Amino acid sequence: MTNPPITPELVRQHNLTPEEYEKLKAILGREPTYTELGIFSVMWSEHCSYKNSRPLLRTFPTKSPRVLVGAGEENAGIIDIGDGLAVAFKIESHNHPSAVEPFQGAATGVGGIIRDIFTMGARPICSLNSLRFGPISEETAGIAGGQSSEAGGQPAGHAGAGQRNGAAQVENNRRLFSGVVAGIAHYGNCFGIPTVGGEVYFDKCYEGNPLVNAFCLGVLRHDQIVRGAARGVGNPVFYVGPATGRDGLAGAAFASQDLTEESAEQQRGAVQVGDPFMEKLVCEACLELLATGAVAGIQDMGAAGLTCSTCETAARAQTGIEIDLAKVPQRAPNMTPYEIMLSESQERMLIIVHKGREDEVKRIFDKWDLPWAEIGRVTDTGRMVVRNGAETVAAIPAKKLADEAPVYEREAREPERFAALGAFTLSNVADTQEAACALKLLLEWPSIASKNWVYRQYDHLVRDATIVSPGSDAAVLRIRSDSLAPTPDASSGTAPTGRLVEKYIALTVDGNSRYVYLDPYEGGRIAVAEAARNLACAGAVPLGTTDNLNFGNPHNPEIFWELREAVRGVADACRAFNAPVTGGNVSLYNQSPNGPINPSPTVAMVGLVEKPEHITTQWFKDEGDAILLLGDIVDWADPLQGLGGSAYLQRIHGLKNGRPPRCSLEKEKDVHLALRALIFSGVVKSAHDCSEGGLAVALAESCISHQVARETPRLVGAQIDLDAALKSLERQTTGSEAAAQPRPRLRLDALLFGETQGRIIISVAPLSAVKVLAQAKLLGVSAMRLGTAGGHTLQIRAGGGVSECKVDELHDLWWNSIARTMQ
């Protein structure tokens, strides 16, 4: 097959600018071959090179005494958890592929992140996901108690929170949602690791461009860490796993351009096809091979496939690599070198083997009935040389290709809408007259409603290590002896050795894009703070963070400003919580013809629970328990009293406006430390953070979210008196500096549904309440009693009135909302 001539139009089709093409030629010292042009196009794409975001990523905190493998060093970061054990974890996106082929796009996103983990020598033990879709209901975003969805207007640039969603678009959103969830379930369930948590949001800005972020965590001993480097000149290079096909062709480049109907149709072939059963075999074979000590380096063939795995391993080791494509297993006839190098067929690995130990690779992969081929060797040339039989089709300096892509400092400009955001007030927003009705509307809103329709499709109990399943603030897993990959043994070759000290890991994933849209810096801080708060509610101390930055086109100065400010917020908060960023993913160009998505940084955080008795869940436990609030009931200095950017404003009034609540990182840290101290003392029965929907929704969830594997949910009501709590607060502050400042009138909707940060609802035995309040005061944290658990209703006394709802009715609305919508 004749290769096309290299023309300016062909260069443009490969998403390379004229300046980038000139740099390419300068590196080569000549015109590129067609295969080389394709190689540069994928390696210099945003997806692989981070050329628009790399300067920002350098601002993240990446070091701590626990970090064993840091951000950017390898396929995933690794954190020490004590006693010679460590966890490897990372989150990555598969947004564009999921928009085109939701089932395979999501499934292969899971497969790709699993490979990143076992490539490090770790056994994958669980996964999480963060998903965003357009609305799955045709109902207009909220009208309750006669309140108009047009009150106050929208900031410029918003896609329209209060508009009715068209039936055809809603149906497409449901198709994408259903397909993505099915794809995640298929791959994780078949591979055999539990999907233990995640988040799902629905918003009009994601129509046509859903977000699918997949996280995986694995466990290993310190001495099992392996590197993705082509070390040892003369060492053979092995290709292992299924044969290469044309699926996934140039997927990295597809992920680095705007998503349109035309590009989606043209790039349908850029979506990979996954085989989770094959990946399970590849995983077990690789872990067994790693235990022999025969491996000098290993890398999965993910984005950019064979191209990325060869040049990156050579660049890391500062060596060269030479491969022969004629030896690469191929399942499609007449594949060209261009297609073989750019294919992203799944479940494939590149392994550099110590010379003389080739037979061990062949023995193990034959045992697992897996294809293998010796396709090349490590050289000392510093070049990636690709041959196709006798013909050389590419010869490129590996380090310049992998590490020296162009880096851009894009123009940043604050969006014009921020002037309107600062001027927004609640003067045109009527206070709630139907609090119970508003609570029900919030609980059945798909973004807040129970996600059991999603996670019931996942096997979250496989491997029998899940202690806290989906449905609480954070998932918790027990690390046991079978969580580890095999280690060398003199007699049998591969067998676990040594006694394992059991560990307890908590995980969560968070990100509120409304906040980031309205204030990227504050929204970035809140995403991290909420993740740390969720871990604290589970009884865990944060260890590290991995993030997925989902944004629109960085060439737009307003979007790049959002990205820069969100990164600054995430970085500041990670420093505050001593939760360094160990790696992650940047996904740009997330926009459809309707416009860009809301800026959506996703934060996954991992924590350590020291003792099993410290593990805490969010639901109320016993009748008569005292219900307490840690943190300030409202931020009196916030003119919007926590309603800015709230779920209440969007759901009830159709508004996405106002400055979001402020996040005091110092106060957050104090509240988390106080909560953990109380948990460690053994007095806390439940802990649940206040986030979307505010205090009323958090109280309702504490009543109705009881989740224990294979047990019928037990609903526990609550009798709440916020009027009495506020009076108690007034008495506590009498004569203080705070009391000397006149406080504004507290709106009822703000009290119930405002999203003031740094608040956690806990329940304790009635005899412990006074002691806990005193301990909180000694720890410098605001605390108050809200009421008592028990009964069959959630009764809230506030603003001189009483709102009362049956908990079984609230549970039905919350638990079945998504299932009813998807019928």
Side-chain angles (χ1 to χ4, degrees):
M1 184 179 294
T2 304
N3 290 327
I6 308 297
T7 64
E9 175 60 21
L10 188 64
V11 171
R12 187 192 65 77
Q13 290 173 2
H14 280 76
N15 289 329
L16 292 170
T17 67
E19 294 77 17
E20 289 170 344
Y21 184 66
E22 290 303 315
K23 180 174 181 176
L24 177 164
K25 289 197 298 182
I27 289 172
L28 295 176
R30 54 177 170 78
E31 294 280 342
T33 66
Y34 180 55
T35 300
E36 288 171 333
L37 181 66
I39 287 171
F40 272 98
S41 77
V42 292
M43 288 305 300
W44 284 8
S45 68
E46 175 65 30
H47 190 78
C48 290
S49 73
Y50 298 154
K51 60 187 176 185
N52 293 296
S53 53
R54 189 175 293 185
L56 302 179
L57 301 182
R58 295 192 185 108
T59 66
F60 281 138
T62 57
K63 305 293 184 184
S64 87
R66 288 187 178 270
V67 174
L68 302 178
V69 176
E73 294 181 32
E74 293 287 346
N75 294 282
I78 298 181
I79 294 278
D80 175 28
I81 60 172
D83 297 300
L85 298 177
V87 288
F89 57 90
K90 189 181 182 184
I91 192 169
E92 283 207 344
S93 64
H94 233 218
N95 301 337
H96 282 24
S98 299
V100 175
E101 292 285 353
F103 182 91
Q104 289 295 351
T108 52
V110 174
I113 197 65
I114 289 174
R115 287 196 302 280
D116 279 342
I117 299 307
F118 73 74
T119 297
M120 300 303 301
R123 178 177 294 284
I125 65 165
C126 69
S127 64
L128 306 171
N129 54 72
S130 173
L131 311 176
R132 303 283 193 281
F133 302 92
I136 56 173
S137 170
E138 293 183 53
E139 293 182 7
T140 302
I143 296 176
Q147 298 160 352
S148 170
S149 64
E150 298 302 319
Q154 300 293 327
H158 176 51
Q163 297 174 3
R164 179 170 295 277
N165 306 301
Q169 186 60 62
V170 165
E171 186 59 34
N172 188 55
N173 296 338
R174 290 175 182 166
R175 178 186 67 85
L176 292 172
F177 177 38
S178 178
V180 163
V181 171
I184 292 171
H186 168 71
Y187 210 99
N189 294 354
C190 293
F191 184 85
I193 60 171
T195 302
V196 295
E199 59 172 6
V200 188
Y201 286 93
F202 303 90
D203 191 280
K204 195 170 181 62
C205 71
Y206 302 111
E207 284 185 347
N209 198 133
L211 301 185
V212 178
N213 295 176
F215 167 100
C216 186
L217 178 141
V219 184
L220 70 168
R221 301 181 192 273
H222 291 191
D223 58 5
Q224 291 179 308
I225 298 173
V226 294
R227 302 281 181 167
R231 294 192 178 94
V233 174
N235 278 340
V237 175
F238 276 76
Y239 170 117
V240 299
T244 296
R246 291 190 173 95
D247 55 317
L249 193 62
F254 171 48
S256 303
Q257 56 184 289
D258 289 350
L259 184 61
T260 65
E261 290 185 12
E262 181 183 7
S263 70
E265 187 58 38
Q266 290 175 346
Q267 295 294 337
R268 201 165 295 276
V271 179
Q272 307 92 330
V273 177
D275 183 346
F277 299 107
M278 176 67 74
E279 178 133 319
K280 177 63 173 175
L281 297 177
V282 171
C283 174
E284 295 300 331
C286 286
L287 292 178
E288 183 175 336
L289 179 63
L290 289 170
T292 68
V295 175
I298 184 170
Q299 174 89 347
D300 78 301
M301 297 187 207
L306 193 54
T307 289
C308 187
S309 58
T310 49
C311 72
E312 284 191 352
T313 52
R316 288 194 188 109
Q318 299 186 7
T319 58
I321 194 165
E322 183 175 312
I323 62 171
D324 184 355
L325 299 184
K327 298 179 180 179
V328 172
Q330 300 163 43
R331 70 168 182 266
N334 303 316
M335 289 188 70
T336 66
Y338 179 99
E339 291 173 327
I340 297 170
M341 289 301 293
L342 271 62
S343 168
E344 294 181 11
S345 294
Q346 296 292 284
E347 292 89 38
R348 304 175 302 158
M349 306 289 289
L350 192 79
I351 301 179
I352 296 89
V353 179
H354 290 296
K355 192 171 179 61
R357 305 190 68 175
E358 295 89 341
D359 286 346
E360 293 176 73
V361 180
K362 300 171 186 178
R363 173 181 61 81
I364 289 172
F365 278 85
D366 283 345
K367 166 190 167 183
W368 288 97
D369 196 23
L370 288 170
W372 57 266
E374 186 176 339
I375 65 169
R377 63 187 180 90
V378 179
T379 69
D380 60 0
T381 65
R383 302 174 72 80
M384 179 182 78
V385 177
V386 181
R387 304 187 190 282
N388 188 31
E391 179 189 9
T392 299
V393 295
I396 306 170
K399 190 166 184 63
K400 289 187 178 295
L401 175 63
D403 298 337
E404 298 182 24
V407 176
Y408 298 104
E409 295 276 358
R410 297 294 181 193
E411 179 188 354
R413 184 176 66 246
E414 182 177 290
E416 294 180 3
R417 68 175 183 271
F418 277 77
L421 291 174
F424 177 79
T425 71
L426 298 172
S427 58
N428 292 325
V429 180
D431 201 345
T432 184
Q433 302 299 315
E434 296 287 346
C437 181
L439 175 59
K440 293 174 183 178
L441 282 170
L442 283 166
L443 287 174
E444 70 175 354
W445 195 36
S447 288
I448 287 180
S450 169
K451 306 306 184 296
N452 71 87
W453 183 88
V454 175
Y455 64 72
R456 287 171 80 178
Q457 298 183 52
Y458 306 152
D459 189 337
H460 45 83
L461 297 175
V462 63
R463 300 184 62 84
D464 198 30
T466 307
I467 296 178
V468 179
S469 298
S472 194
D473 286 74
V476 180
L477 284 95
R478 179 175 62 250
I479 294 175
R480 309 175 312 178
S481 57
D482 64 353
S483 301
L484 291 165
T487 55
D489 181 85
S491 60
S492 63
T494 58
T497 60
R499 180 177 175 274
L500 176 72
V501 178
E502 285 197 344
K503 299 287 183 178
Y504 301 88
I505 296 294
L507 315 92
T508 186
V509 58
D510 292 285
N512 186 323
S513 68
R514 280 192 311 275
Y515 291 166
V516 186
Y517 171 76
L518 298 169
D519 188 332
Y521 175 71
E522 204 66 49
R525 283 158 45 104
I526 290 173
V528 176
E530 184 175 352
R533 197 186 315 138
N534 283 332
L535 293 185
C537 288
V541 176
L543 296 177
T545 304
T546 177
D547 65 274
N548 209 128
L549 303 174
N550 306 280
F551 288 77
N553 191 322
H555 296 269
N556 181 328
E558 294 188 352
I559 288 174
F560 191 76
W561 183 87
E562 293 172 342
L563 173 62
R564 187 191 69 188
E565 290 301 292
V567 167
R568 187 166 67 92
V570 169
D572 284 353
C574 285
R575 272 187 284 271
F577 293 106
N578 194 26
V581 176
T582 62
N585 176 245
V586 179
S587 176
L588 304 182
Y589 303 94
N590 286 293
Q591 51 192 73
S592 67
N594 296 328
I597 64 164
N598 285 350
S600 304
T602 298
V603 171
M605 192 177 286
V606 176
L608 183 66
V609 184
E610 289 293 340
K611 298 180 180 179
E613 57 265 31
H614 296 165
I615 297 169
T616 310
T617 50
Q618 73 179 40
W619 45 87
F620 295 146
K621 302 301 186 295
D622 298 305
E623 301 265 338
D625 283 347
I627 300 169
L628 312 179
L629 177 70
L630 300 182
D632 297 327
I633 193 166
V634 69
D635 180 358
W636 298 101
D638 179 1
L640 301 181
Q641 300 180 351
L643 286 175
S646 65
Y648 171 81
L649 275 191
Q650 184 169 352
R651 173 65 171 135
I652 307 303
H653 294 280
L655 297 173
K656 190 187 292 182
N657 212 330
R659 295 289 187 181
R662 303 178 308 164
C663 177
S664 169
L665 296 177
E666 287 304 316
K667 283 189 175 183
E668 280 277 2
K669 287 169 58 181
D670 290 344
V671 169
H672 302 181
L673 287 169
L675 173 61
R676 281 193 291 267
L678 293 169
I679 288 173
F680 297 167
S681 72
V683 298
V684 176
K685 291 189 174 183
S686 71
H688 184 29
D689 82 311
C690 295
S691 55
E692 286 92 350
L695 194 59
V697 166
L699 286 165
E701 289 173 339
S702 299
C703 292
I704 63 180
S705 63
H706 175 255
Q707 291 278 332
V708 177
R710 304 181 182 94
E711 290 187 16
T712 302
R714 185 168 63 89
L715 310 182
V716 178
Q719 314 306 307
I720 305 298
D721 193 339
L722 297 181
D723 288 340
L726 288 168
K727 286 178 182 177
S728 173
L729 179 63
E730 289 176 7
R731 289 193 298 269
Q732 294 174 31
T733 57
T734 298
S736 68
E737 182 179 340
Q741 302 295 326
R743 286 175 171 168
R745 181 186 71 85
L746 180 56
R747 293 171 57 108
L748 180 59
D749 52 7
L751 176 61
L752 296 176
F753 307 114
E755 297 173 7
T756 294
Q757 296 296 294
R759 301 182 298 170
I760 297 171
I761 295 170
I762 66 173
S763 64
V764 302
L767 294 178
S768 300
V770 174
K771 179 176 122 179
V772 169
L773 291 172
Q775 285 179 314
K777 186 175 181 180
L778 287 174
L779 293 168
V781 171
S782 298
M784 62 175 64
R785 180 163 183 161
L786 300 181
T788 304
H792 301 290
T793 65
L794 172 59
Q795 183 187 91
I796 303 178
R797 187 178 298 277
V802 178
S803 299
E804 187 168 14
C805 304
K806 293 180 179 179
V807 289
D808 57 355
E809 180 185 0
L810 296 181
H811 179 268
D812 178 65
L813 290 169
W814 174 78
W815 181 261
N816 296 312
S817 173
I818 292 179
R820 287 175 178 139
T821 301
M822 294 299 291
Q823 284 178 350

